[in-house]
Amino acid sequence: MKKVSKDVVIIGAGAAGMMCAIEAGKRSRNVILVDHARKLAEKIRISGGGRCNFTNRYTKAENFLSSNPHFCRSALARFTPQDFIALIEKHGIRYHEKKSGQLFCDDSSQQIIDMLHDECAAAGVDWQMPSQVKQVQYFPADKEIRDIKQKFILTTERNTIEASSLVIATGGLSIPQIGASAFGYQVANQFDIRVMPLRPALVGLTFAAEDFVGFKDISGISIDAEVNCKGASFRESILFTHRGLSGPAILQISSYWQPGEFIHINLLPQQDVQQNFLMHRQSATLLPNLLARYLPKRFVQAWCSAMLAQLSIAVKPMSQYRDDELRQIADKLHDWQIVPSGTVGYKKAEVTLGGVDTHELSSKTMESKRIPGLYFIGEVVDVTGHLGGFNFQWAWSSGYAAGQAV
Ligand SMILES: Cc1cc2nc3c(=O)[nH]c(=O)nc-3n(C[C@H](O)[C@H](O)[C@H](O)COP(=O)(O)OP(=O)(O)OC[C@H]3O[C@@H](n4cnc5c(N)ncnc54)[C@H](O)[C@@H]3O)c2cc1C
């Protein structure tokens, strides 16, 4: 079988893998990128609705979940959103800010893929794609003989590749239909490197049929709300779907939610509902008609029939409610508590929460503390961003960090 010798082999030619290859190539390292997919960087292509939300201007460590919350700081500080913007501008890619620092391509996410591909070519990076890696072998450095460095030998379906650095950039488990695999976690297991529990995140939530009676019929309706779970809070829209709830606020909170827990939805975060009810205390207006001034009418109908039944309160004119009834209704509008039955899963999730334990890696280089020459970057690592361009920024920053060290 053909044997290829390189300084660095990177498995996974997605966002993090290509960024690492570019930086290592610029340092005159002899680099090969190996990916099993037929099409390059499909996740970048489908991201941001086809326009790739490639970074967020206001990226901070607080925008990430990890069992080691400070881990991401070093890499984020050494390759910042501004550094990526400079790269985009160098390639003449036009972009715009949507909201809260989220930057998108004006035209297409394909421009980001082409830019990374061109940068790889300029840095002399080699490709092997599509190609399955069948086996990873490791030969530690010989301490007695200084010239013998550690060596990784990869057996692929086409050849064997030998390199002193191996970078795992195979991403998470979401969207298996475009090439996601558990490969990175399997390599971690092979080297006894801890993997923090995995679950789909930035994902829609589902509800048991009995908890969702009446709401199925309003799929497509979206409401500006504040959603809370375990101290995390997001004020964005929620979207009713056939199976439950989605929309930015729900996707964000899904990263904090664990099975069995409540999520709390404030349906009218912009107002003091109790105060509003007091102002309409003498009114002949029916409660749903009053609420329909602030919330979509079809949602109000569904919500009132489900919630008022739960509270054993009838629909009537505002003037006929007792104070305690109005207080209960106001409380429910500000704190609608529901227990999701689950999520829509990896098929739809934007990211995978958990991953290679950051305590096992150098925050400066992403290298394993125990296996010299082995690096993990991007989503495979236990660093998960909020919605809004943070996950790509982590891919660029961690890829850059490893690219300086391999
Ligand atoms: C629908 C969707 C929209 C998104 N939109 C955004 C957005 O707008 N902004 C944002 O910041 N984030 C977004 N994300 C998240 C973002 O795409 C990822 O966090 C990011 O791509 C992770 O980069 P990565 O390089 O670690 O992994 P990936 O980009 O997933 O790359 C991993 C690569 O590894 C390859 N691979 C996997 N297994 C193997 C194997 N066994 N052998 C060889 N190769 C393998 C894959 O083919 C792939 O090319 C979105 C995700 C999804 C699913």
Side-chain angles (χ1 to χ4, degrees):
M1 199 180 238
K2 205 177 138 203
K3 198 163 151 185
V4 176
S5 203
K6 294 280 172 186
D7 297 322
V8 185
V9 56
I10 302 171
I11 309 180
M18 281 198 276
M19 179 54 89
C20 179
I22 293 161
E23 291 304 317
K26 281 190 202 161
R27 291 173 45 240
S28 305
R29 305 292 285 155
N30 200 348
V31 182
I32 187 164
L33 269 167
V34 181
D35 200 297
H36 68 173
R38 295 203 162 272
K39 271 187 90 181
L40 180 60
E42 278 287 86
K43 231 176 236 181
I44 300 181
R45 194 180 57 77
I46 63 169
S47 68
R51 292 227 163 87
C52 186
N53 177 195
F54 54 81
T55 191
N56 190 299
R57 277 190 201 283
Y58 309 123
T59 303
K60 297 186 295 301
E62 289 71 26
N63 299 117
F64 296 87
L65 289 91
S66 171
S67 61
N68 184 0
H70 296 295
F71 179 82
C72 59
R73 282 184 196 278
S74 169
L76 292 173
R78 276 175 305 124
F79 189 84
T80 64
Q82 200 47 52
D83 292 322
F84 195 76
I85 294 167
L87 188 60
I88 294 278
E89 289 179 350
K90 184 179 115 188
H91 285 260
I93 298 173
R94 288 178 300 137
Y95 61 92
H96 60 278
E97 182 169 333
K98 257 200 180 157
K99 57 173 179 179
S100 334
Q102 301 175 8
L103 302 186
F104 289 76
C105 297
D106 282 359
D107 299 323
S108 154
S109 47
Q110 187 62 41
Q111 294 173 291
I112 304 283
I113 303 173
D114 294 343
M115 174 190 83
L116 295 167
H117 190 261
D118 291 351
E119 287 281 327
C120 281
V125 173
D126 263 354
W127 296 85
Q128 186 162 303
M129 194 181 159
S131 182
Q132 298 279 354
V133 179
K134 293 181 170 164
Q135 192 186 30
V136 174
Q137 287 172 287
Y138 176 61
F139 301 90
D142 191 328
K143 290 209 175 84
E144 305 292 310
I145 313 167
R146 274 208 323 186
D147 283 349
I148 307 246
K149 277 192 86 176
Q150 79 276 349
K151 192 165 68 177
F152 294 88
I153 299 183
L154 266 57
T155 310
T156 77
E157 59 185 344
R158 296 196 205 173
N159 54 14
T160 62
I161 306 172
E162 199 178 295
S164 57
S165 295
L166 169 63
V167 183
I168 304 299
T170 44
L173 297 172
S174 58
I175 325 279
Q177 52 280 34
I178 56 163
S181 83
F183 184 87
Y185 311 117
Q186 286 156 4
V187 172
N189 286 337
Q190 177 183 339
F191 289 97
D192 278 330
I193 293 174
R194 200 149 92 112
V195 174
M196 302 309 285
L198 307 172
R199 61 191 163 88
L202 297 183
V203 65
L205 298 173
T206 55
F207 293 89
E210 60 272 23
D211 294 337
F212 218 59
V213 180
F215 294 106
K216 265 202 175 116
D217 305 332
I218 60 163
S219 82
I221 284 184
S222 130
I223 294 171
D224 171 37
E226 186 184 274
V227 186
N228 295 275
C229 183
K230 291 188 298 195
S233 171
F234 295 92
R235 167 90 189 265
E236 283 186 80
S237 58
I238 62 172
L239 172 73
F240 287 83
T241 67
H242 288 294
R243 295 183 61 193
L245 285 169
S246 187
I250 294 295
L251 298 186
Q252 298 277 33
I253 217 68
S254 71
S255 301
Y256 293 84
W257 176 79
Q258 300 258 24
E261 292 173 350
F262 282 101
I263 60 166
H264 302 256
I265 304 179
N266 184 348
L267 291 163
L268 288 166
Q270 72 281 14
Q271 63 164 273
D272 181 338
V273 177
Q274 178 69 9
Q275 198 60 37
N276 187 328
F277 283 172
L278 287 178
M279 277 160 50
H280 294 87
R281 199 70 193 86
Q282 312 303 327
S283 164
T285 309
L286 288 173
L287 172 75
N289 293 348
L290 177 64
L291 294 178
R293 294 182 194 169
Y294 317 107
L295 292 163
K297 196 170 174 189
R298 282 173 57 220
F299 167 75
V300 170
Q301 279 161 357
W303 192 86
C304 282
S305 53
M307 292 305 123
L308 296 188
Q310 221 178 66
L311 296 171
S312 308
I313 299 175
V315 167
K316 44 192 175 183
M318 290 303 291
S319 56
Q320 292 180 18
Y321 283 112
R322 296 192 313 266
D323 285 349
D324 67 300
E325 288 177 326
L326 287 180
R327 198 168 314 110
Q328 285 182 66
I329 300 167
D331 287 350
K332 267 258 186 279
L333 284 161
H334 278 314
D335 187 13
W336 179 26
Q337 301 181 20
I338 16 181
V339 183
S341 58
T343 74
V344 293
Y346 287 117
K347 267 192 180 163
K348 294 273 169 67
E350 281 206 10
V351 284
T352 301
L353 198 81
V356 173
D357 186 0
T358 51
H359 296 94
E360 301 254 13
L361 307 178
S362 153
S363 62
K364 193 159 175 244
T365 63
M366 306 293 134
E367 187 176 18
S368 157
K369 289 179 183 168
R370 278 191 303 106
I371 313 289
L374 178 62
Y375 298 76
F376 292 88
I377 57 174
E379 200 182 309
V380 74
V381 177
D382 174 30
V383 173
T384 307
H386 288 165
L387 194 73
F390 302 105
N391 285 296
F392 276 131
Q393 186 56 45
W394 170 246
W396 317 133
S397 296
S398 58
Y400 177 91
Q404 305 305 310
V406 287

